Amino acid sequence: MEKDFCPEKDTLILRGTLTKKEYKKHGDYHFKKILHTIFLSFMIFSFLTFVIGTWNAEDLDNVFSYIFFALFSLVLSSVLLIGLKIITKLKASREYKSDPLVKREITYIISSQEIHQKIGRSNNYLEWEQIRTAYENTEMFRLYVSRAKAIVLPKRYFASEEEIQLLKRLITKNLSKDKVKF
């Protein structure tokens, strides 16, 4: 994987192939908020269902009943969360296997004017206004062009910390603050 850096032009050239592990990690980040919302909602719903279902029971005045209901709701919600995480990983694996483009080497030329994406003989140009949201995570940057589609830039694509800082500068310079999630 070859990397180029052009600081005099404020242009960053990144090249690499997204791995299955990175694709699945992107999926984890993408669905994290939704999964946690489902977890919390299900936990509250199941707790209230247990409490309302035993509303007339005499031992409901006992604090231990509420603790038991809360723990049981937590366990049920945790099982649901684990199941949903397994499903999202399996779905990401299937998507990765079925998408021949995601497994090809991609070159990104990122400048103040645009993001140029090259895959084989195909060229795609994105203006910064087309980026909906930019996230930085521990091992990657994710630049969303729609609710579900993102440009994934693993940090291993970068040759140095200076390249990472240049990308951050380009993002913060070209996107409004509400679109940047660093």
Side-chain angles (χ1 to χ4, degrees):
M1 177 170 28
E2 184 182 320
K3 300 175 181 112
D4 300 307
F5 181 55
C6 307
E8 66 277 357
K9 297 179 188 174
D10 241 12
T11 299
L12 184 61
I13 301 173
L14 304 172
R15 189 175 289 120
T17 305
L18 200 61
T19 66
K20 184 177 180 179
K21 183 179 178 181
E22 290 164 339
Y23 192 82
K24 286 171 36 176
K25 192 65 176 174
H26 160 64
D28 288 346
Y29 287 132
H30 180 73
F31 290 109
K32 184 178 184 177
K33 186 176 180 181
I34 294 167
L35 291 179
H36 285 105
T37 301
I38 291 170
F39 169 80
L40 189 60
S41 300
F42 186 77
M43 191 169 81
I44 292 168
F45 174 77
S46 61
F47 176 76
L48 291 176
T49 301
F50 292 134
V51 169
I52 291 170
T54 59
W55 197 258
N56 293 328
E58 293 175 12
D59 61 334
L60 193 60
D61 293 333
N62 187 346
V63 170
F64 293 110
S65 295
Y66 291 106
I67 293 172
F68 173 76
F69 292 152
L71 289 175
F72 193 69
S73 297
L74 179 65
V75 169
L76 279 178
S77 300
S78 297
V79 168
L80 176 66
L81 181 65
I82 290 167
L84 289 173
K85 284 186 175 188
I86 290 170
I87 289 168
T88 57
K89 284 192 185 295
L90 289 173
K91 185 178 180 223
S93 289
R94 279 192 223 123
E95 284 178 23
Y96 184 83
K97 286 178 187 175
S98 70
D99 188 349
L101 286 179
V102 78
K103 293 178 265 189
R104 294 192 59 192
E105 182 178 76
I106 303 174
T107 301
Y108 296 97
I109 303 168
I110 305 169
S111 68
S112 293
Q113 291 75 40
E114 66 191 3
I115 299 170
H116 178 190
Q117 183 182 43
K118 295 190 325 185
I119 305 172
R121 292 183 291 181
S122 174
N123 288 293
N124 186 27
Y125 295 90
L126 295 164
E127 296 174 7
W128 282 101
E129 295 81 38
Q130 293 174 285
I131 304 297
R132 292 174 52 126
T133 316
Y135 292 92
E136 179 185 13
N137 301 104
T138 307
E139 57 280 294
M140 66 182 60
F141 288 93
R142 297 174 298 128
L143 308 177
Y144 279 87
V145 294
S146 72
R147 284 187 65 210
K149 186 177 178 184
I151 295 171
V152 179
L153 300 170
K155 290 189 177 174
R156 66 178 177 81
Y157 286 10
F158 298 83
S160 66
E161 182 62 31
E162 289 78 25
E163 286 187 357
I164 291 173
Q165 293 307 315
L166 174 57
L167 179 63
K168 286 181 171 184
R169 281 194 308 277
L170 288 168
I171 290 171
T172 54
K173 176 183 173 189
N174 292 290
L175 297 179
S176 61
K177 286 183 182 182
D178 61 316
K179 292 183 173 185
V180 178
K181 312 292 184 190
F182 290 168

